[in-house]
Amino acid sequence: MLLLGVKTFVRKLGQNLFIALQLAVTLILMVQIVSSVENRVGLYMPIRQFFSGRGAIVGCHMVMGDEQEIKSKFSDVTDVNGGYITGLSYAPKGSTGEKSYGAEALDNNFINTYTPEMESGVWLSDADCSADSSIKAVVTESTFGYTTGDIVEADFRPTDDAEFQNVSIEIVGVIKDDSPILGFSIQIYNSNSDFRDLYLSNNKESNPVPLLITQKEQIEQKGIPYAFGMRNIILNFNDDISESEEQEISMHLANYGQAMTFTDFNRNNQKYVTEEIARILPLMVCIFILLIVSTVSLNGLSVKSQLKSFSIYYILGAKWRQCITINFISSIITSVIAIIIAATAANVINLMGLWSFTVVQFGRVQLLSCLIVIIINLLASLILPIAIMKSNTPKEIITSTE
Amino acid sequence: MIKVNNIVKIYNPKSSNAFEALHGVSTQINDGEMVAIMGKSGAGKSTLLHILACIDNYQDGEYYINDTLVKNLSEREYARIRNEKIGMVMQDFALVEDFTALENVLIPLNFSKQKVKNKKEKALAALKSVGIEELAKKPCSKLSGGQKQRVAIARAIVNEPAMILADEPTGALDTKTSAEIMELFTSLNDKGHTVIIVTHDPLVAEQCHRIIELSDGNIVS
Ligand SMILES: Nc1ncnc2c1ncn2[C@@H]1O[C@H](COP(=O)(O)OP(=O)(O)OP(=O)(O)O)[C@@H](O)[C@H]1O
Ligand SMILES: [Mg+2]
């Protein structure tokens, strides 16, 4: 039976390759579409939990202190999230000059929320940041010359009037240029700001000074000072306050920088996400229609062309079910070839750099969408023969062509 | 032995263009017989043969193969009967044209319920017995009418069915080839196969033991 399935495929090689090609194109389009959707909402989904309920985003102009200090100043603040500035200073690689560049820190909350694309090495969530190990850090691409595995000699003062202490920081990874990084964007608030403004994209061309990011828990543990400030931070308020109270607290927070309530912020987020989805939806619907129409018609064509052989098999002792199985095996081969074509084409496109205008990744969602395409195709190759064979008995098929 | 009892066949039974092709046909064919079914075009010969071959149903009456009632069986049972008990030679040979002669003969073996050993040897032996062993590797589309008919016969006998059914096996062949094909059927009958041939040709019918004459869906003799 397997053999007959293979033969069935080979007999209509041209036609089946055409079907495979069509399927491959659909797969590539699907990956492309899903990627662009993911690209647009991929920055939103992980962080939306941080601005539920009441609260404000503050683009600080000054140092605000740690969470405790902020909470003590604003009794309605229940939680603070954002990137930290630290007391750590360092210099470019090999430089004996003054250590005048500051390092940053993220707490585990943010580290685990969004992983930027890495040029080399690993993101902080995959590094050993346990209490008794050395301080780990990631850097952005820069002219400072630090790469994965390098040790950065840094110093800090535990308190303002203490002596400088030296500390070694191990670079565990380099963040790719232009990859969004959560927590370090600076004051850019206007009434149109949305979630995208909580990310910073660094590029060594426009900013040669790297971002050197450590883990806040490690910094704290080594007695290095850290604080919120100079960056955008997210403040959550008590849930039982009203929208006007939210507005009022935000007014007070505006002393530290620009402040925007969650209410306004989320309105902008919603607007952006719906607009983007609305932009992509027609394309998705088109591709879906293309998928359905082409799979159904091509599979129908394929079954029709095999119908006579299947009737012959039937007369010689096959069950209809076996004929459908044979057709199904042929379809599976077609699908496998389609996947191979699609994967090859994707690699070629990638190598030629034609995809640089959109970020195409191949992750779980893309895999799932490809799986759906394949399943629809296989289902069509199961249902269509059943439908076609239902309307004609094998005898009718064989005698009608006599 | 096969027996049909008051078989009624209606095409498109539930629609307005329902057509009764057989009006209660009864007959009996014994093992080892060689029978011709004759009659005018449209008399119902093919219809009857298709019912005997288990590729068509009937509305009323009974069809027995060796005392087994062949009616409302499961799909699996019908498939098994078609595969093991019946060798069918269709009117236009019904070969898979892009398969080779050998591949065509292998089809019944591939759908056999039992595990068949030495499939290829068996198929080659069947081709040899119809005298075209040397054409085994040739695609059927490249064969002549007589050669195709031989492939169809080889395919019909490869599972050694008790009964061989042929629908106008000489209809499309010249006189000389017809005679050769009839020789084949006669020798198969000599080996013990029951042979039932639908034909228009009196010369063909002459070589059978008995003629069943159909007219407008009734047996007249
Ligand atoms: N699928 C069908 N639907 C409706 N009517 C049919 C169908 N097949 C056959 N018939 C009708 O049934 C009658 C018997 O047909 P059948 O094919 O058995 O005749 P036949 O004796 O084999 O004729 P021929 O010698 O031309 O092959 C004919 O009148 C034919 O038109
Ligand atoms: Mg006929």
Side-chain angles (χ1 to χ4, degrees), chain A residues 180-192:
Chain A
I181 305 163
L182 180 61
F184 297 107
S185 61
I186 46 176
Q187 323 94 328
I188 28 84
Y189 288 111
N190 56 51
S191 55
N192 295 322

Side-chain angles (χ1 to χ4, degrees), chain B residues 142-180:
Chain B
K142 299 230 165 69
L143 299 178
S144 72
Q147 290 168 336
K148 282 185 182 175
Q149 192 60 282
R150 282 167 201 268
V151 176
I153 294 170
R155 193 177 63 182
I157 61 173
V158 70
N159 258 342
E160 293 167 16
M163 182 162 50
I164 294 164
L165 310 178
D167 198 349
E168 310 220 16
T170 61
L173 307 177
D174 60 67
T175 332
K176 183 168 163 286
T177 322
S178 292
E180 287 168 7

Side-chain angles (χ1 to χ4, degrees), chain A residues 115-189:
Chain A
T115 305
E117 215 180 326
M118 302 303 289
E119 173 65 32
S120 68
V122 294
W123 176 238
L124 287 168
S125 55
D126 294 322
D128 173 23
C129 296
S130 55
D132 48 355
S133 80
S134 64
I135 297 177
K136 303 295 191 306
V138 293
V139 283
T140 53
E141 290 187 60
S142 72
T143 55
F144 277 32
Y146 287 117
T147 59
T148 305
D150 283 349
I151 303 292
V152 182
E153 298 302 339
D155 60 18
F156 68 97
R157 283 197 292 193
T159 53
D160 281 349
D161 42 10
E163 287 295 307
F164 276 102
Q165 292 184 18
N166 288 324
V167 65
S168 295
I169 302 171
E170 185 188 344
I171 305 290
V172 294
V174 177
I175 300 169
K176 208 182 193 124
D177 254 358
D178 296 324
S179 171
I181 305 163
L182 180 61
F184 297 107
S185 61
I186 46 176
Q187 323 94 328
I188 28 84
Y189 288 111

Side-chain angles (χ1 to χ4, degrees), chain A residues 15-295:
Chain A
Q15 183 185 311
N16 284 322
L17 285 183
F18 186 74
I19 297 179
L21 200 66
Q22 169 265 329
L23 205 54
V25 170
T26 319
L27 287 181
I28 291 175
L29 286 177
M30 205 70 177
V31 170
Q32 173 103 49
I33 283 290
V34 170
S35 292
S36 63
V37 172
E38 205 188 21
N39 214 11
R40 284 168 165 81
V41 294
L43 295 180
Y44 176 59
M45 299 313 261
I47 58 168
R48 68 192 163 139
Q49 43 162 326
F50 289 107
F51 27 85
S52 65
R54 299 275 177 222
I57 316 281
V58 179
C60 311
H61 291 313
M62 57 191 83
V63 178
M64 281 188 81
D66 65 8
E67 189 164 341
Q68 282 317 314
E69 287 179 61
I70 295 172
K71 280 180 179 168
S72 66
K73 271 182 230 156
F74 298 91
S75 56
D76 285 315
V77 171
T78 56
D79 196 9
V80 187
N81 282 292
Y84 297 88
I85 50 174
T86 73
L88 281 169
S89 303
Y90 70 103
K93 190 172 179 177
S95 154
T96 49
E98 204 184 331
K99 297 186 171 70
S100 52
Y101 298 95
E104 337 272 338
L106 276 183
D107 60 17
N108 278 330
N109 226 354
F110 265 23
I111 289 175
N112 296 326
T113 295
Y114 188 82
T115 305
E117 215 180 326
M118 302 303 289
E119 173 65 32
S120 68
V122 294
W123 176 238
L124 287 168
S125 55
D126 294 322
D128 173 23
C129 296
S130 55
D132 48 355
S133 80
S134 64
I135 297 177
K136 303 295 191 306
V138 293
V139 283
T140 53
E141 290 187 60
S142 72
T143 55
F144 277 32
Y146 287 117
T147 59
T148 305
D150 283 349
I151 303 292
V152 182
E153 298 302 339
D155 60 18
F156 68 97
R157 283 197 292 193
T159 53
D160 281 349
D161 42 10
E163 287 295 307
F164 276 102
Q165 292 184 18
N166 288 324
V167 65
S168 295
I169 302 171
E170 185 188 344
I171 305 290
V172 294
V174 177
I175 300 169
K176 208 182 193 124
D177 254 358
D178 296 324
S179 171
I181 305 163
L182 180 61
F184 297 107
S185 61
I186 46 176
Q187 323 94 328
I188 28 84
Y189 288 111
N190 56 51
S191 55
N192 295 322
S193 288
D194 60 40
F195 65 91
R196 288 173 296 166
D197 298 319
L198 293 181
Y199 292 87
L200 171 77
S201 289
N202 204 64
N203 185 300
K204 62 174 171 291
E205 310 289 329
S206 52
N207 181 18
V209 179
L211 218 54
L212 191 144
I213 307 167
T214 58
Q215 188 217 32
K216 178 213 139 191
E217 283 76 1
Q218 262 195 323
I219 297 293
E220 185 172 26
Q221 206 261 330
K222 304 261 165 18
I224 301 163
Y226 63 91
F228 288 116
M230 316 309 289
R231 307 280 186 187
N232 297 318
I233 59 174
I234 307 170
L235 295 107
N236 294 77
F237 301 162
N238 254 330
D239 276 342
D240 50 10
I241 67 170
S242 67
E243 193 176 329
S244 59
E245 284 169 320
E246 183 188 41
Q247 191 70 48
E248 202 184 309
I249 302 166
S250 299
M251 301 268 265
H252 291 299
L253 283 165
N255 290 330
Y256 293 88
Q258 290 127 305
M260 187 175 197
T261 61
F262 280 3
T263 308
D264 293 338
F265 190 67
N266 277 326
R267 192 184 311 114
N268 293 346
N269 292 337
Q270 221 54 53
K271 183 160 165 273
Y272 176 78
V273 171
T274 12
E275 268 173 12
E276 286 304 312
I277 302 255
R279 193 182 313 211
I280 291 173
L281 205 62
L283 203 58
M284 288 195 78
V285 170
C286 282
I287 289 190
F288 200 70
I289 291 173
L290 178 83
L291 165 71
I292 297 292
V293 169
S294 59
T295 17

Side-chain angles (χ1 to χ4, degrees), chain B residues 19-197:
Chain B
F19 180 84
E20 189 167 317
L22 297 175
H23 323 283
V25 169
S26 301
T27 191
Q28 179 175 328
I29 296 169
N30 295 317
D31 288 344
E33 263 198 296
M34 182 155 169
V35 178
I37 300 176
M38 293 193 76
K40 289 205 197 74
S41 186
K45 306 182 295 292
S46 297
T47 304
L48 179 58
L49 201 70
H50 292 153
I51 291 171
L52 296 182
C54 293
I55 59 175
D56 209 351
N57 59 0
Y58 51 95
Q59 276 63 39
D60 203 6
E62 294 93 35
Y63 168 29
Y64 293 94
I65 301 178
N66 299 333
D67 300 324
T68 314
L69 178 60
V70 182
K71 194 176 193 175
N72 301 330
L73 299 179
S74 67
E75 207 206 335
R76 172 197 298 252
E77 266 308 297
Y78 277 117
R80 200 177 59 81
I81 293 174
R82 288 196 301 271
N83 187 258
E84 292 173 4
K85 301 235 187 309
I86 294 160
M88 179 73 185
V89 180
M90 296 291 286
Q91 192 154 4
D92 73 339
F93 323 125
L95 298 177
V96 182
E97 290 282 323
D98 50 354
F99 277 15
T100 62
L102 181 64
E103 285 172 330
N104 265 287
V105 178
L106 277 168
I107 298 171
L109 297 174
N110 285 330
F111 289 109
S112 199
K113 201 95 183 71
Q114 285 105 10
K115 267 243 167 291
V116 189
K117 275 185 270 176
N118 307 327
K119 287 184 188 170
K120 202 169 165 193
E121 284 73 17
K122 277 200 175 136
L124 284 171
L127 283 169
K128 191 176 179 189
S129 71
V130 299
I132 49 163
E133 203 187 7
E134 72 282 359
L135 297 176
K137 292 257 143 55
K138 226 174 172 185
C140 287
S141 52
K142 299 230 165 69
L143 299 178
S144 72
Q147 290 168 336
K148 282 185 182 175
Q149 192 60 282
R150 282 167 201 268
V151 176
I153 294 170
R155 193 177 63 182
I157 61 173
V158 70
N159 258 342
E160 293 167 16
M163 182 162 50
I164 294 164
L165 310 178
D167 198 349
E168 310 220 16
T170 61
L173 307 177
D174 60 67
T175 332
K176 183 168 163 286
T177 322
S178 292
E180 287 168 7
I181 294 292
M182 277 316 290
E183 248 170 64
L184 256 177
F185 280 117
T186 313
S187 75
L188 285 171
N189 181 240
D190 290 343
K191 283 181 199 151
H193 295 279
T194 309
V195 176
I196 304 170
I197 297 174

